[in-house]
């Protein structure tokens, strides 16, 4: 971004910017840094080490910076114009240069030849503006000693990242009805477990001093007027925020020289150009209403006719005559809507101030030939020093812009600029500057709107929506190889490519390699997924074009308001899973509760029964309909869990997870229509067989590993693994069911809800230390043990005893002989007391489990493609065969009371 290269990065602590000035933000940071480096006593809040001026060090500062991006780009265009002007003037092409700033009338009093080098005779030099600003005292030379080197700020602004407050984790302690059979699911903490408040995460914000405290660091060093020319000077020791209205007029004293040290005669030219416009051709090429309105807006800028002014006329008096009431209110863009809007012709006053300096006596580089060349080079462009309150801030040379803050914010000069070499500066009046800003703003807006119209997804958007989007767009540029978006990072922005090509890659779960997904080019967009989901980037976007990539960046708020609902945005980069989900939704859209016919009961859960159903018209398929009593959900405060169950199952598309097709609700129940798994519960088979051999256990464990891989890669913790929640389909593959305790976690965060099944809970859950996906790896070890032996390793006569045994650890458990050495090794690696040490949770992720020697030779690929033959093939004679399930008598309790409180409106 250009912001990186902006040279004048010193900070102005006194400037009361309104959070929208990028330059202000940069200056702010620079000033803080200069202040921090300064040996002078600082208030504690200002003692920020330079290294800490990074994004994360100061949330206030960083958001300030980010907020400022908008303002930056707004006047960046202007700065470019000004630079262009300068460039062109060097080529002595005055007329064409002036035409860049359209809307000026023909010069009547100035002769062309007078402009040839931008210098015209002017008996009333502009130096008067600066006369009173010449400091009376010189700064001590130590001010510029080596220890006060220019503050080096290298800001890498990543618009995709932003620090966020850390939310406190939710703590839910509630009871599920004790209706379970052997392994009882619970969501109540053990009574002896000390329930500590969840870890308080303080989001410490470094305090950024306000302007008044910054002022308290004022040091009285003054400029050395003998040595340097002060071009503009900040007011000394202003203790109150500078007034915003009216703008301070620079003091004028006609006839006085610019400064004591000025050696060349200053020339000052007022140049006016014919009223020819850039936007004529521009408006012609577009016939839309929106363009028309733009045209009118631009025409609104038509400048008042102005009498030719005599060369050398006092500019301020002329100016007063020219300024209309509209213009004197700054001519901001909001005025453009008003009919008959008219701002005065901005008089382009382009004085060439030639400043000279005396050579500094101290701290100069040695005059070797190299240094001399450098010096000469600098001399050519001119060099100025920026200081504030006597402190050196930076040195500017070349085509740099300065003095914009005071005119942008109607405040007093915020820094002192001192010529340290001979330099030519160009000055533009406030009015002119603002007009350029306005004009370039409009032109930019029209260009962006045009571009957006050419992008297929936006072409049908209303004109005013496009204008709104154009208004907030920020253009950013990237170089080849730059990661514009990094997978896993937090994202707050949406991008449209306006130039170049980017590469999309996705990091592979187990290999860490980046898989190439696709190329995107001009008119394509990216970044919507993080904004639609949980803020995390789901892919890498890398700048591919050798000549770089330009993107138009849109903030989250605008995206949400204007863009997020576009269908194409929602689904353009859907992976296969999401596409399949869409198909499912489509397929079940017209199925209602009344279309379902109950065949038999498959099971009884905590909140009701699970019935085998068929739709009226189709006997070739069957479904499982889970029916949950709303009153009971509310009684046990499981509303949040049920909503989460619906959300997670509804989005999941994994062959090792039971699919949820549709949900319904009525006054008494919530319903989930799922795929039916007629092979029965793994628990039933285990009960009948007693235990499984190594290879059977391996197959079922591998199915769970696949399901966990799917869930964990989406940061979803399952939390209720047990053989009862593993259902076999008719082929014998197992699928995870019952997502009542599943939860989507924020990356790196833990959860504290005490839930699970006593025999399967991890120690950190019992101890309420906070848990995450590693708790699932613990339960995987327990499952392996139970499948191999028929009983879980940690079993007490009641939950309390069970917890006690769990807390003693896996090493206290005796492993029966039938558990092979490799199996026990894996179980022990999964059931480590310390969650961080559990296999699956370490660097290699879940692939470490897949690679464990117990799985040696296991045909993972066959499992994933369902070509592997399952160890047990259940007998399922038809789609309504329920022989693999126990029989359940009718519910003795009868129908529950109505619940119409509406908590389930999103179910
Ligand atoms: N899709 C399905 N196909 C076949 N049977 C199912 C299906 N879903 C659930 N069942 C049967 O119903 C039982 C209860 O289902 P589920 O575990 O989802 O209910 P729950 O109320 O969440 O139970 P819990 O109290 O164990 O959490 C299961 O153990 C299983 O026997
Ligand atoms: N406040 C401040 N101004 C700077 C800095 N570097 C360059 N400048 C320029 O110095 C100018 C002084 O006059 P303005 O306040 O109008 O605008 C200021 C900026 O354009 C800096 O670090 N801080
Ligand atoms: N996840 C994913 N993202 C893609 C794909 N193709 C392009 N993208 C874009 O890559 C972007 C990375 O950041 P986001 O996750 O915010 O949004 C993502 C999509 O806009 C794809 O196949 N999968």
């Amino acid at each position: 971004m250009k912001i990186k290269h902006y040279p004048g990065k010193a900070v102005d602590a006194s400037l009361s910017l309104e959070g929208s000035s990028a330059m202000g933000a940069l200056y702010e940071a620079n000033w803080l840094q200069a202040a921090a480096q300064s040996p002078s006593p600082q208030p504690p809040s200002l003692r920020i080490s330079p290294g800490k001026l990074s994004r994360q060090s100061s949330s206030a500062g960083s958001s300030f910076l980010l907020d400022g991006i908008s303002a930056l780009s707004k006047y960046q265009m202007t700065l470019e114009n000004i630079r262009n002007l300068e460039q062109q003037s060097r080529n002595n092409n005055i007329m064409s240069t002036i035409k860049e700033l359209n809307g000026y009338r023909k010069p009547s009093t100035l002769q062309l030849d007078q402009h040839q080098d931008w210098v015209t005779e002017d008996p009333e030099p502009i130096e008067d503006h600066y006369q009173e600003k010449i400091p009376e005292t010189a700064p001590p030379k130590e001010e510029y000693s080596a220890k006060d080197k220019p503050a080096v700020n290298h800001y890498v602004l990543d618009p995709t990242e932003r620090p966020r407050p850390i939310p406190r984790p939710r703590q839910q302690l509630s009871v599920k009805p004790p209706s379970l059979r052997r392994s009882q699911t619970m969501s109540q903490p053990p009574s002896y477990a000390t329930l500590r408040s969840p870890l308080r995460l303080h989001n410490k914000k470094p305090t950024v001093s306000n302007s008044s405290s910054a002022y308290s660091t004022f040091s009285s060093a003054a400029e050395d007027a003998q040595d340097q020319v002060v071009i503009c000077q900040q007011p000394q020791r202003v203790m109150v925020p500078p007034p915003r209205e009216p703008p301070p007029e620079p003091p004028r004293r006609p006839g006085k020289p610019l400064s004591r040290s000025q050696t060349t005669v200053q020339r000052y030219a007022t140049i006016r150009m014919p009223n020819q416009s850039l936007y004529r051709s521009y408006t012609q090429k577009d016939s839309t209403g929106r363009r028309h309105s733009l045209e009118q807006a631009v025409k609104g800028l038509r400048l008042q006719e102005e009498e030719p002014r005599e060369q050398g006329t006092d500019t301020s008096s002329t100016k007063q005559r020219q300024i209309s009431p509209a213009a004197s209110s700054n001519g901001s863009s909001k005025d453009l809507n008003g009919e008959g809007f008219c701002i005065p012709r901005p008089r382009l006053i382009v004085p060439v101030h030639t400043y000279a300096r005396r050579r500094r006596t101290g701290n100069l580089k040695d005059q070797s030939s190299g240094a001399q060349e450098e010096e000469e080079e600098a001399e050519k462009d001119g060099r100025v020093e920026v200081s504030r309150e006597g402190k050196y801030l930076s040195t500017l040379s070349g085509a740099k812009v300065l003095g914009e803050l005071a005119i942008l914010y109607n405040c007093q000069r915020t820094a002192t600029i001192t010529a340290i070499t001979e330099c030519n500066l160009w000055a533009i009046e406030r009015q002119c500057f603002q007009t350029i800003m306005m004009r370039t703003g409009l032109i930019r807006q029209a260009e962006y709107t045009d571009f957006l119209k050419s992008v297929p997804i936006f072409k049908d958007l209303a004109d005013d929506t496009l204008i709104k989007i154009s208004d907030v767009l920020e253009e950013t540029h990237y170089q080849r190889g730059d990661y514009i978006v990094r997978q896993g990072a937090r994202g707050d922005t949406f991008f449209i490519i306006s130039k170049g090509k980017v590469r999309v890659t996705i990091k592979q779960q187990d290999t860490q390699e980046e898989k190439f997904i696709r190329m995107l080019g001009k008119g394509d967009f990216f970044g919507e997924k993080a904004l639609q989901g949980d803020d995390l980037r789901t892919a890498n976007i890398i700048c591919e074009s050798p000549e770089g990539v330009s993107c138009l960046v849109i903030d989250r708020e605008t995206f949400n308001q204007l863009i997020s609902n576009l269908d194409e945005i929602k689904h353009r980069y859907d992976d296969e899973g999401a596409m399949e989900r869409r198909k499912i939704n489509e397929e079940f859209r017209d199925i209602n509760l009344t279309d379902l016919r109950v065949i038999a009961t498959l099971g009884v859960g905590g909140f009701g029964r699970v019935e085998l159903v068929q739709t009226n018209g189709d006997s070739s398929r069957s479904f499982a309909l889970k029916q949950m009593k709303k009153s009971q959900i509310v009684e046990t405060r499981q509303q949040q869990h049920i909503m989460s169950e619906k959300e997670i199952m509804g989005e999941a598309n994994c062959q090792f997870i039971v699919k949820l097709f549709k949900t319904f609700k009525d006054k008494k129940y919530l319903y989930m229509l799922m795929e039916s798994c007629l092979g029965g519960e793994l628990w039933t088979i285990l009960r009948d067989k007693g235990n499984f051999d190594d290879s059977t256990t391996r197959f079922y464990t591998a199915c769970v590993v696949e399901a966990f891989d799917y869930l964990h890669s989406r940061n979803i913790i399952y939390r209720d693994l047990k053989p009862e929640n593993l259902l076999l389909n008719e082929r014998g593959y197992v699928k995870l069911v019952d997502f009542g305790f599943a939860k989507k976690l924020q990356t790196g965060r833990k959860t504290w809800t005490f839930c699970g099944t006593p025999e399967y809970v991890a120690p950190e859950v019992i101890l309420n230390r906070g848990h995450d996906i590693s708790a699932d790896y613990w339960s995987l070890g327990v499952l392996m043990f139970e499948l191999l032996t028929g009983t879980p390793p940690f079993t007490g006569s009641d939950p309390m005893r069970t917890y006690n045994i769990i807390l003693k650890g896996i090493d206290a458990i005796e492993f029966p002989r039938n558990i092979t050495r490799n199996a026990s090794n894996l179980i022990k690696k999964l059931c480590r007391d310390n969650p961080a040490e559990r296999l699956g949770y370490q660097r290699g992720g879940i692939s470490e489990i897949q690679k464990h020697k117990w799985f040696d030779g296991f045909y993972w690929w066959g499992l994933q493609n369902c070509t592997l033959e399952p160890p047990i093939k259940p007998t399922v004679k038809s789609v309504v065969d329920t022989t693999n399930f126990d029989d359940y008598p009718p519910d003795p309790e009868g129908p529950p009371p109505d619940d119409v409180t509406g908590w389930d409106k999103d179910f």
Side-chain angles (χ1 to χ4, degrees), residues 295-330:
E295 185 182 1
Q296 294 197 329
V298 177
K299 277 184 185 155
L301 283 175
R302 188 170 295 135
L303 307 167
Q304 280 185 341
E305 284 301 300
E306 180 197 0
E307 285 305 310
R309 198 164 61 85
E310 286 304 317
Q311 190 181 331
T313 313
D314 177 80
T315 52
S316 63
S317 60
T318 316
K319 188 166 101 189
Q320 269 153 22
R321 262 187 279 122
Q322 292 164 342
I323 293 176
S324 71
S328 58
S329 70
N330 262 348

Side-chain angles (χ1 to χ4, degrees), residues 713-848:
S713 64
R714 286 158 181 78
N715 242 350
I716 296 168
I717 174 175
Y718 176 64
R719 298 199 285 193
D720 201 12
L721 186 63
K722 54 184 176 182
E724 295 91 318
N725 284 339
L726 293 171
L727 299 179
L728 274 76
N729 69 2
E730 63 293 342
R731 282 202 60 205
Y733 275 75
V734 301
K735 296 183 185 238
L736 223 47
V737 73
D738 190 0
F739 279 66
F741 292 137
K743 184 178 180 180
K744 185 152 181 121
L745 296 179
Q746 298 265 303
T747 316
R749 304 279 162 78
K750 291 188 176 185
T751 182
W752 277 260
T753 310
F754 188 88
C755 59
T757 297
E759 287 83 352
Y760 277 78
V761 289
E764 67 272 18
V765 178
I766 299 169
L767 296 172
N768 197 33
R769 288 192 172 144
H771 58 274
D772 55 18
I773 55 166
S774 57
D776 280 344
Y777 296 124
W778 170 281
S779 64
L780 187 67
V782 176
L783 179 79
M784 269 181 72
F785 191 103
E786 179 164 5
L787 297 184
L788 289 167
T789 65
T791 9
F794 313 105
T795 321
S797 50
D798 59 59
M800 283 308 144
R801 283 179 220 275
T802 304
Y803 299 141
N804 265 327
I805 299 167
I806 291 169
L807 293 178
K808 285 182 187 148
I810 193 74
D811 292 334
I813 301 296
E814 199 180 317
F815 278 54
R817 282 170 154 260
N818 69 316
I819 299 185
T820 62
R821 195 206 295 236
N822 284 342
S824 79
N825 181 286
L826 177 54
I827 291 168
K828 285 180 179 173
K829 282 188 167 160
L830 289 167
C831 294
R832 303 285 297 215
D833 290 339
N834 180 351
E837 292 172 5
R838 289 176 200 152
L839 204 66
Y841 193 65
Q842 289 161 330
R843 250 183 96 101
I846 207 158
S847 69
E848 296 292 319

Side-chain angles (χ1 to χ4, degrees), residues 493-512:
T493 39
F494 173 76
F495 300 76
I496 303 156
I497 303 172
S498 58
K499 194 193 102 195
K501 279 192 157 48
V502 301
R503 186 162 27 108
V504 184
T505 67
I506 294 186
K507 201 164 62 207
Q508 299 301 288
Q509 265 301 306
D510 13 341
T511 63
Q512 298 293 310

Side-chain angles (χ1 to χ4, degrees), residues 6 8-12 15 27 30-31 232 386 388 393-394 396 401-407 411-417:
Y6 189 81
K9 295 176 303 255
V11 163
D12 180 357
L15 188 65
Y27 294 159
N30 218 14
W31 171 241
C232 60
V386 187
R388 215 185 109 69
L393 290 177
S394 60
L396 308 179
V401 170
L402 37 100
E404 77 288 3
L405 293 180
I407 62 172
C411 62
Q412 289 170 312
R413 292 291 180 198
T414 60
T416 300
I417 308 277

